[in-house]
Amino acid sequence: MKILMLAAECVPFAKTGGLADVVGALPVALRALGHEAIVVMPKYGSLDVARYNIGSFFDQMCVWMGNTEEWCAVRTTTLNGIPIYFIESDKYFARPGLYHDENFNDYGDNPRRFAFLTRAGLQLAHDMGFAPDIVHVHDWHTALAAAYLKIWHWNDPVLGKAASVLTIHNIGYQGKYGKEHYDYIGLQWSNFTPDKLEDHGAINFLKGGIQYADLVTTVSPTYADETRTPEYAHGLAPYLNDKGANYIGILNGVDYTQWNPATDKFIPAQYSAEDLSGKAVCKRELQKRFLLNVDPAIPIVGVVSRFAEQKGLDLLAGAIESIVNNMQVQFVILGAGDKGLESFYGGLPARYPGRIGSYIGYDNTLAHWIEAGSDFFIMPSRYEPCGLNQIYSLKYGTLPIVRNTGGLADTVEQYNEATGDGTGFKFWEPSAHAVYYTVGWAVSTYYDRQHHIAKMVQKAMAQNFSWENSAKAYVAAYRQAIANRE
Ligand code: ADP
Ligand code: GLC
C-alpha cells in the first residue's frame, strides 16, 4: 500500500508531544511490513536544515485555497528510509513556535496555517504523482484532508482513489475557529452545516474530519470507549458513535531504539532486567543532578509532562506537600506549560531542599534521566488518549502510578498485594486525595515488600509495546477504510 501521512509534528524534526513520536515511528514500522509511506509536515522556523541534510524539492508550488492562491516551496530529506517533505511558507511557518508564542498564546492564523498545510500536502502528492491508497491524517491540524479529498479530489487522476483515515490523538483539541476563515479554507458553504463542518456557528476541523473520513481511529481501545461518552468526548460523542465499527482504538507502539535502558545513550549507565546495577547509578546521578539527598534507599517519584489540565498535575500539586511531609520519598519533576503550575513546581525545590527537584522547560536528555533514575513514575491524568511515558517507564523498570483512564488503563496492570503481580499502581478518582493514598501505597510497598517491587520491575521490563503489532493493526484499518471508500 501507498500511504500519504500529513501531520503537524514528527520526531526528530518538530515535537510538542506524543503525536510527533507516533508520526515519526509508524511510517518506519509500515515500511518494515512492506508498505510505502511518505510524510508531509511544515518547515518550522526551528527546524535544523543542516543537521538533517534537508534539500530543496520544489522551488515553487501553487496551492489553491478557497479564495486565493498561495505559493510555497517544498524541501525534503530521508530518515530511516522514509521520505519526509517539508512545506516551506515563511508567512505561516517561519516563526519559532509550532502553535503558539512563548506565552502560550495560540497564533491567530492557526486555522489558515493548518488548512494551508493540509491543502499543500495533497497538492504535493498530486504534483509529484504519488497516488496514495491511504491519506492518513492526525488530529485537527490535518483532519480536513478527509473533506478536501471528497469535495475537491474525488475525480483527481492521482488522489481520486485515496481513502482517508483520521487518527485522534487528543479530542480536547478540536480546532474550532470563527467562520470568517471559511472562505479561505474553501470547503463550500453548502457543507457548513451541523452534520459536517459547522459547530455552534464556528468551524470545527476535527468534527469535519470525523464526518468525512472513511475510518477514524484513536490511540487506545479504552479511549475509544471513553470518547463515545459525553464525559470524555468534548461534544463529539454523537458523531463518533455514528461511525459505529468505523471508529476504533489502536494502541500506540513506542520506539525502543530511543527508549531502552540497555542502549540509551543519554543516561549515565545502561542496564537491563538481568543486571540492574546501572539503574542504581542512574538513580544516584539523578539525585545529584537535582540536588536531592543522595540515598539509594529513598524512593524517587518522577514526572515528565506537559503542564495541561489533561495531565492532572494540579491534583498532584494538591497532594505533594503532604506526601513529602509524611513519607520518606523524593520527587523529580520536568515539565512546562500552565504558568501557575510552572511557578508552583519551580518553587518547590527551595521549600523542600533535598526532597523535591524540578526543572521547568523541555529537555529530552532529562526526560531519559528521569525515566531511568526514578523508582516510580506518576501520571495522574484526567484523561490520557494513550500516553507514552508510562510505557517508557515500564521498559526502564520504573513503576507507573497512574489514574486508570485511556491508554494508562490499557498498558498498566494493577499491583496485587497478595501475589506481587502487576506492573504499577492505579487509582480511579481524579482527586488529590487519591493521588496521596496511591503514592502512599507505592511507597509503603517499596519499604515493606521489596520482593514485590523486584517482581513487578521484572514484569514491567518484559512488556513489549513495539510498533510492529500496532502497525499491523493500522494496515487492517487501512484495508477497512479502502473497502468503505469503494
Ligand atoms: P502528550 O502527547 O499528551 O504530551 P505522551 O505521553 O503521549 O503525552 O507523550 C509525551 C512525550 O513528550 C514523551 O515523549 C515525553 O518524554 C515528552 N515530553 C513531555 N514533556 C516533556 C518535557 N518537559 N521535556 C522533555 N520531554 C517531554
Ligand atoms: C496525545 C495524547 C497522548 C498520546 C499522544 C500520541 O498527545 O495526549 O496521550 O500518547 O497523543 O498518540
Side-chain angles (χ1 to χ4, degrees):
M1 263 186 266
K2 281 184 158 177
I3 301 119
L4 167 64
M5 240 183 249
L6 305 180
E9 303 184 18
C10 175
V11 285
F13 309 110
K15 165 167 166 172
T16 68
L19 165 65
D21 295 289
V22 172
V23 176
L26 175 58
V28 182
L30 288 167
R31 184 166 182 266
L33 296 176
H35 303 285
E36 181 185 355
I38 67 172
V39 176
V40 181
M41 65 179 291
K43 181 188 169 292
Y44 293 109
S46 53
L47 183 72
D48 192 336
V49 171
R51 178 167 172 203
Y52 298 113
N53 198 16
I54 295 172
S56 60
F57 186 72
F58 284 157
D59 289 338
Q60 288 199 313
M61 182 171 81
C62 181
V63 180
W64 278 97
M65 299 308 295
N67 55 4
T68 183
E69 68 181 29
E70 299 277 10
W71 289 84
C72 61
V74 181
R75 297 191 179 228
T76 189
T77 191
T78 302
L79 190 82
N80 303 318
I82 305 299
I84 316 283
Y85 297 90
F86 300 90
I87 302 300
E88 180 171 25
S89 157
D90 286 349
K91 171 177 159 189
Y92 283 146
F93 299 125
R95 55 195 92 169
L98 272 57
Y99 313 122
H100 47 68
D101 64 22
E102 57 282 2
N103 297 318
F104 283 82
N105 295 313
D106 274 1
Y107 295 130
D109 56 355
N110 274 349
R112 291 168 186 251
R113 296 171 76 222
F114 290 102
F116 166 72
L117 168 70
T118 304
R119 203 87 171 93
L122 296 174
Q123 186 68 45
L124 173 63
H126 177 275
D127 289 1
M128 63 193 261
F130 183 86
D133 301 289
I134 291 289
V135 175
H136 187 171
V137 296
H138 299 265
D139 276 349
W140 72 268
H141 319 104
T142 53
L144 290 184
Y148 286 124
L149 283 172
K150 290 225 166 71
I151 295 169
W152 290 118
H153 296 284
W154 57 275
N155 206 14
D156 185 317
V158 181
L159 293 164
K161 290 212 163 56
S164 53
V165 172
L166 164 65
T167 295
I168 300 173
H169 296 262
N170 193 332
I171 210 162
Y173 303 91
Q174 298 182 3
K176 277 199 214 180
Y177 297 102
K179 64 182 177 192
E180 64 275 14
H181 301 291
Y182 200 75
D183 281 325
Y184 180 83
I185 289 169
L187 285 167
Q188 299 176 333
W189 282 99
S190 58
N191 297 312
F192 190 67
T193 51
D195 61 324
K196 292 180 180 147
L197 290 145
E198 190 263 1
D199 182 353
H200 296 82
I203 313 165
N204 186 325
F205 279 51
L206 191 66
K207 178 181 176 185
I210 291 169
Q211 304 293 62
Y212 282 96
D214 294 304
L215 187 96
V216 180
T217 75
T218 189
V219 289
S220 70
T222 295
Y223 193 61
D225 290 341
E226 288 172 343
T227 47
R228 289 175 188 275
T229 69
E231 191 189 341
Y232 282 92
H234 298 254
L236 296 181
Y239 309 103
L240 291 171
N241 281 308
D242 278 351
K243 300 303 272 192
N246 291 311
Y247 177 48
I248 57 177
I250 300 175
L251 197 68
N252 287 331
V254 298
D255 185 351
Y256 289 126
T257 67
Q258 296 297 311
W259 297 94
N260 179 350
T263 52
D264 191 326
K265 300 270 186 325
F266 292 107
I267 58 179
Q270 282 78 42
Y271 60 91
S272 63
E274 296 73 47
D275 180 2
L276 285 162
S277 55
K279 188 166 174 66
V281 175
C282 292
K283 179 169 177 176
R284 190 184 67 221
E285 294 305 310
L286 186 67
Q287 286 175 322
K288 285 195 208 155
R289 170 73 179 70
F290 280 90
L291 307 177
L292 300 172
N293 301 327
V294 178
D295 183 344
I298 299 179
I300 305 178
V301 182
V303 173
V304 178
S305 185
R306 292 183 293 116
F307 290 170
E309 153 97 10
Q310 168 197 353
K311 301 293 178 182
L313 290 170
D314 53 320
L315 306 176
L316 177 63
I320 192 167
E321 295 184 68
S322 358
I323 292 173
V324 291
N325 284 329
N326 293 314
M327 305 174 205
Q328 281 290 348
V329 61
Q330 300 176 343
F331 277 87
V332 174
I333 295 147
L334 167 64
D338 178 89
K339 292 295 157 203
L341 288 175
E342 284 190 355
S343 83
F344 176 76
Y345 284 115
L348 286 177
R351 294 172 49 217
Y352 298 92
R355 288 186 282 167
I356 302 182
S358 71
Y359 179 84
I360 304 306
Y362 190 96
D363 188 317
N364 187 44
T365 302
L366 278 185
H368 284 254
W369 275 49
I370 293 172
E371 290 290 1
S374 304
D375 298 286
F376 301 106
F377 191 95
I378 186 161
M379 295 176 72
S381 305
R382 286 202 168 70
Y383 70 93
E384 195 61 74
C386 178
L388 300 174
N389 279 304
Q390 83 282 10
I391 307 180
Y392 303 151
S393 301
L394 293 168
K395 191 74 190 167
Y396 284 76
T398 302
L399 303 178
I401 301 172
V402 302
R403 193 169 102 75
N404 192 60
T405 183
L408 301 174
D410 291 337
T411 54
V412 179
E413 190 194 322
Q414 180 72 307
Y415 168 49
N416 179 334
E417 213 172 294
T419 61
D421 209 14
T423 58
F425 299 83
K426 307 212 254 188
F427 59 98
W428 274 254
E429 190 184 279
S431 71
H433 191 77
V435 169
Y436 179 90
Y437 282 102
T438 312
V439 172
W441 188 27
V443 169
S444 66
T445 305
Y446 187 88
Y447 285 113
D448 300 341
R449 292 178 298 281
Q450 211 15 264
H451 60 297
H452 282 179
I453 295 285
K455 185 173 170 187
M456 292 171 82
V457 166
Q458 289 298 320
K459 184 162 190 184
M461 293 181 81
Q463 302 293 304
N464 183 1
F465 293 98
S466 68
W467 266 105
E468 193 187 344
N469 290 336
S470 308
K472 284 180 183 156
Y474 274 106
V475 170
Y478 292 162
R479 295 202 197 287
Q480 191 175 330
I482 290 168
N484 291 342
R485 171 74 179 77
E486 279 164 3

